[in-house]
Amino acid sequence: MTLCCLNGVIGPLDEARISPMDRGFLFGDGVYEVLAHVDGVTRARQLHRARLAQSLARIQLESAVSIDAIFADVDRLLAASALTSAKIYLQVTRGAASERDHRFPSQITPTIFVMATAWSPTVLGPQAMIIAPDIRWQWNAIKSTSLLANVLIQQQASEAGAVDALLHRDGWLTEASTSNAFVFQDGALLTPPLSDRLLPGITRHLVLELARKHGLTVLETEISIDQLPQADLVMITSSTRGLVPITRLLPDQTIGRGEVPAVFETLQADYQRVLHAHP
Ligand code: PMP
């Protein structure tokens, strides 16, 4: 039985109830995090805490919420679930109000939901992607629960047989619909710079740290989607998928020679090791 923690109360997921007036339900007025818990360790917890704090601040909800209390819920839920490896989803919305009104209610009681599902990391081999216009809003650094554009893009990618879509604005790579995007090119690792065009991924942060330690040239720079087929490799990253090599662009393009270079394997192996020890 999957357990969840809703507003501090632990119980079966299928018995948890929220109000239809919840602003998360009505407006997508909320933010979330997804964490990987592996062999008893919640990976990169401090970085996830910091990003949640940033998302809450950007939507003016930080003063109504205690991050310590949310992570105490996470720990209680993991203990109650007796899961040593799990995917943790947590979401904070601006709560329910008596009327459907776009403006913030004067009294706010956020809805705090944490779910832990049995899960273990799998290492994905070379994958294919599609390229699609980035139809999302302008503030993608906020980990917002308003994910309709991401849902439509991911569905399109899935129907095309792709693992995800590489997104672009005016021909410039932003990220993928559920991951950050990188390019290996002539011994350097390239990724678009942090801005509101993309989520500041925890995995992105760790990969850049590792790559620099390895002496790889790291360039946070704009990347034209036209240059993707000439790259040695494209890579996408996320907390749940880890580092995924991309060797094909559907329908019919190959990236570089269609092979995964040794530098990727080294980075991936190091990532597994470092991440497990990350606070
Ligand atoms: N970008 C988007 C749009 C995402 O949804 C995710 C995954 N949550 C990422 C990037 C990767 O972020 P992280 O490495 O923190 O999982």
Side-chain angles (χ1 to χ4, degrees), residues 15-277:
E15 288 176 18
R17 297 287 177 268
I18 60 155
S19 164
M21 294 305 286
D22 194 280
R23 295 174 62 90
F25 178 65
L26 292 177
F27 299 122
D29 184 1
V31 295
Y32 74 106
E33 279 294 321
V34 180
L35 296 90
H37 183 77
V38 181
D39 298 334
V41 177
T42 306
R43 291 177 157 181
R45 173 186 283 249
Q46 298 306 331
L47 295 173
H48 284 281
R49 283 180 60 115
R51 187 172 63 188
L52 177 61
Q54 268 172 21
S55 292
L56 288 167
R58 292 275 313 261
I59 67 163
Q60 299 169 54
L61 199 49
E62 78 277 29
S63 56
V65 178
S66 155
I67 307 260
D68 283 342
I70 296 174
F71 276 80
D73 283 354
V74 168
D75 289 335
R76 285 194 303 120
L77 178 62
L78 285 169
S81 309
L83 291 170
T84 49
S85 292
K87 191 193 295 200
I88 302 162
Y89 175 84
L90 66 88
Q91 162 171 332
V92 182
T93 77
R94 209 178 307 275
S98 52
E99 282 176 38
R100 183 182 177 279
D101 184 340
H102 289 61
R103 295 168 298 179
F104 298 171
S106 49
Q107 287 291 331
I108 293 170
T109 310
T111 302
I112 299 173
F113 172 63
V114 187
M115 170 170 70
T117 44
W119 170 85
S120 52
T122 46
V123 174
L124 286 178
Q127 301 289 317
M129 291 184 83
I130 56 168
I131 292 178
D134 195 340
I135 55 171
R136 303 172 304 162
W137 76 330
Q138 309 272 347
W139 283 7
N140 299 291
I142 303 173
K143 203 158 168 57
S144 157
T145 58
S146 306
L147 289 171
L148 181 56
N150 306 59
V151 165
L152 297 177
I153 295 164
Q154 184 63 44
Q155 180 63 24
Q156 185 193 345
S158 171
E159 284 173 11
V163 69
D164 200 341
L166 291 162
L167 305 178
H168 70 90
R169 290 193 194 261
D170 302 324
W172 298 101
L173 180 66
T174 56
E175 56 179 336
S177 79
T178 58
S179 350
N180 290 110
F182 294 75
V183 165
F184 288 89
Q185 181 86 66
D186 303 325
L189 182 63
L190 281 60
T191 196
L194 289 182
S195 74
D196 258 334
R197 288 147 68 104
L198 53 111
L199 186 78
I202 307 299
T203 320
R204 175 189 184 282
H205 174 88
L206 295 170
V207 161
L208 291 181
E209 217 171 62
L210 265 182
R212 289 191 174 109
K213 253 187 220 151
H214 269 294
L216 269 177
T217 305
V218 172
L219 296 172
E220 292 182 68
T221 181
E222 299 301 343
I223 299 167
S224 160
I225 45 157
D226 295 337
Q227 85 188 69
L228 297 180
Q230 287 87 51
D232 298 325
L233 184 74
V234 170
M235 168 174 80
I236 57 169
T237 66
S238 76
S239 300
T240 48
R241 283 191 185 135
L243 280 55
V244 182
I246 308 299
T247 53
R248 284 183 304 136
L249 295 173
L250 297 177
D252 54 13
Q253 277 179 309
T254 300
I255 297 172
R257 293 207 302 263
E259 290 162 10
V260 179
V263 59
F264 172 86
E265 312 278 0
T266 312
L267 206 57
Q268 189 179 49
D270 270 22
Y271 170 77
Q272 299 294 348
R273 195 173 41 73
V274 169
L275 185 57
H276 205 63

